[in-house]
Amino acid sequence: MRRILIAGLTLLGVLLLSGSQVQAQVAYKHSVGWAGGVVSTSSLNDGSGGALSLEPDLTWTAGAYFDYWLGGHVGLRGQGGVTRHTLPWTQGDREIYSYSVDLSFLLRPAGPVPGRSLLPFVSGGVGVARWGLGRGAPTTFGAAAATYDGSESYNLLVPVSVGVDYITPWNWGEGPMVIRIEGREHLQLMSPFDPVNPDQDDFGMVHNYGVLIGVHTGLGVLGGGS
């Protein structure tokens, strides 16, 4: 997975060098794309008082997104994704999938103009996450001082990110092909697990730090976008 990330960054460097002299069509109105990368998730039982940490291994994530630009500097993004986690539990490691959807504002410090191929951005919004732990009777993992109530509930998610779009000199369909590199934090406000001791405070928030590489295509003309 690390080699894939390094290869993607190398590809981006080659593209930057090859397309630096090209005047790209950057003022597109909306775009649709796909992304993948790596995610590091913090412990799901933070605050368990020294018990075994329910911290998933470094893993992959993938998803799709749709950008809609209200102007050259401000836009909206809807996205959804899936991540596969390896998590310790009572009878050994389990593979668990988590799913998320969110809606965010996109802000560009520099708007699109002819000849500008790099467009950095920041984003922030709100969404929900769901861990596919299964439905059924409650189960307890004593070593982790954690219990699962048997319901797959949705947890509030706060996504924030910083990234850059590289407008390549090539078209994909009716618009330019765009490569996106993004560092993000998906902050889940509650863990899917509860403390075994009902008198104990809830476990801490869950951090999902990720680095993603995506590709999308711009569609439509953004009037007055430059």
Side-chain angles (χ1 to χ4, degrees), residues 160-217:
V160 294
S161 69
V162 59
V164 61
D165 286 337
Y166 169 58
I167 316 300
T168 73
W170 305 289
N171 278 0
W172 180 9
E174 65 180 81
M177 186 175 77
V178 185
I179 294 176
R180 172 170 291 177
I181 291 185
E182 183 175 11
R184 77 179 190 193
E185 150 75 309
H186 276 187
L187 178 61
Q188 189 176 321
L189 300 188
M190 292 186 64
S191 169
F193 298 106
D194 297 311
V196 169
N197 183 354
D199 296 327
Q200 181 182 335
D201 291 337
D202 291 337
F203 292 137
M205 295 183 290
V206 179
H207 299 270
N208 298 276
Y209 301 107
V211 177
L212 290 86
I213 299 177
V215 58
H216 57 279
T217 180

Side-chain angles (χ1 to χ4, degrees), residues 35-137:
V38 294
V39 170
S40 174
T41 299
S42 65
S43 175
L44 301 180
N45 62 337
D46 181 46
S48 58
L52 175 69
S53 176
L54 294 177
E55 183 171 346
D57 295 338
L58 184 72
T59 188
W60 60 262
T61 187
Y65 55 91
F66 177 81
D67 296 349
Y68 185 87
W69 291 96
L70 307 173
H73 296 273
V74 180
L76 293 172
R77 173 171 62 178
Q79 64 179 347
V82 58
T83 303
R84 189 187 71 179
H85 305 273
T86 301
L87 189 69
W89 198 243
T90 52
Q91 296 179 345
D93 288 348
R94 292 184 58 192
E95 287 189 355
I96 303 295
Y97 287 86
S98 66
Y99 308 88
S100 66
V101 293
D102 64 82
L103 181 65
S104 298
F105 278 103
L106 294 165
L107 300 176
R108 286 172 173 164
V113 294
R116 178 176 292 157
S117 59
L118 289 177
L119 295 173
F121 66 88
V122 296
S123 75
V126 65
V128 292
R130 179 171 178 169
W131 288 70
L133 296 166
R135 294 180 178 272

